[in-house]
Amino acid sequence: MLITALAGGVGGARFLRGLRDALDADPALAQSDLTIVANTGDDITLFGLRVSPDVDTLLYTLGGGIDEAQGWGRADDSRIVQGELAAYGVGPQWFGLGDRDFGTHIARSYWLGEGLQPTAITERLATRWGLPGQRITLLPMTDAPVETHVVVEREDGPQAIHFQQWWVEDRTRTPAQRFVVAGLDRAAAAPGVLDAIREADLVILPPSNPVVSIGIILGVPGVRDALRGTTAPVVGVSPLIGGRPVRGHADACLSAIGVESSAAGVASLYADFLDGWLIDPADAVPGPPGLRVETYDRELLMGERAGAARLARAALDLGLALRND
Ligand code: GDP
Ligand code: CA
């Protein structure tokens, strides 16, 4: 079986590690291949280095190098380099980069300078983290440089700031008016992305941010059409429980685009291609015709690694049931 997933960072990565665990625990599915299409709209250039936060979170989580408590960055990391940069007055300091983590950004930037595309670079990084051996292929959504910017109201009028600055430094305190994804209209899907959706046996949308993670991938030309056209069932897991995000600020993102902060509101963003939707008991309402809404048998939380595998198994079962319909 080929399973293709679209994913952002922390929520998506934890879910997909659980999905790999769930597949490996089932002799009938252990040989399945998992292709992950990662959001690169969060990418940012810092200190002259290209940082790709969602790709790196996926690499570290799936490869066993993640700082588990934080959800991003490397385990056992230190902040010596960033401290040295601060001593020179070189910023920003609001985006934390550990010393081990710097190695990834230097390697990526070095390879970009040599003319390699992000797809090839991600493949090299993934090899170091043992993803091929786990039957996981990690693809950036596009090789084009794309950046999500947020238009916020400032005293002297509207201003566009980088998504990371709004998310990390501002902590979404300033309401977003809209999101502008620089470069997206000219971006082509990275090699393999559209085929991975069209040729999949099952497509899964993990509980990633529906606007600034999944929503950005959906904006890559061709991705939405591939999802509408694929014969595979498309199954999603709600990132909201009782209308609230588990972590992050999905509600602030949804209100910026005028969508109700609810499991149904998120499903409406995927209405043209979604076949199955896994929700929390607190959100149980019948879905629109044509959408199979399934209520998880407990709180829709991943929790520890085993909890993510259990949740992923439920999404898998929903997808397999839809395939047999
Ligand atoms: P992203 O994957 O880059 O979008 O990273 P985030 O960690 O910011 O997570 C995005 C979404 O995942 C948020 O809207 C969270 O509410 C959701 N999320 C995180 N953990 C869980 C969980 O345990 N269960 C559910 N249902 N959603 C979760
Ligand atoms: Ca992200």
Side-chain angles (χ1 to χ4, degrees), residues 2 95 98 100 102 153 159 161 196 228 234 243 248 259 302:
L2 170 63
F95 199 92
R100 292 180 192 276
F102 260 111
E153 189 63 33
Q159 191 193 341
I161 58 174
R228 287 195 198 109
V234 182
V259 172
M302 290 188 272

Side-chain angles (χ1 to χ4, degrees), residues 167 172 207-210 238-255 260-263 266 283 299-301:
W167 190 263
T172 73
S208 283
N209 188 301
S238 171
L240 302 181
I241 297 182
R244 292 171 183 281
V246 179
R247 66 187 299 281
H249 319 276
D251 42 354
C253 299
L254 287 164
S255 69
E260 183 191 77
S261 188
S262 69
V266 177
D283 299 302
E299 212 183 357
L300 197 73
L301 276 178

Side-chain angles (χ1 to χ4, degrees), residues 8-10 39 42 53-54 57 163-164 167 209 212-213:
V10 184
N39 170 42
D42 289 12
D54 286 353
T57 298
F163 166 75
Q164 295 293 356
W167 190 263
N209 188 301
V212 294
S213 293

Side-chain angles (χ1 to χ4, degrees), residues 60-113:
Y60 300 158
T61 303
L62 295 164
I66 197 79
D67 180 328
E68 294 284 348
Q70 201 170 241
W72 51 273
R74 291 286 306 277
D76 303 319
D77 217 343
S78 45
R79 288 279 171 84
I80 295 170
V81 172
Q82 203 163 13
E84 289 298 308
L85 290 166
Y88 288 116
V90 175
Q93 291 295 321
W94 50 260
F95 199 92
L97 293 176
D99 297 322
R100 292 180 192 276
D101 199 16
F102 260 111
T104 307
H105 314 314
I106 293 170
R108 171 181 292 114
S109 306
Y110 170 66
W111 286 326
L112 280 170

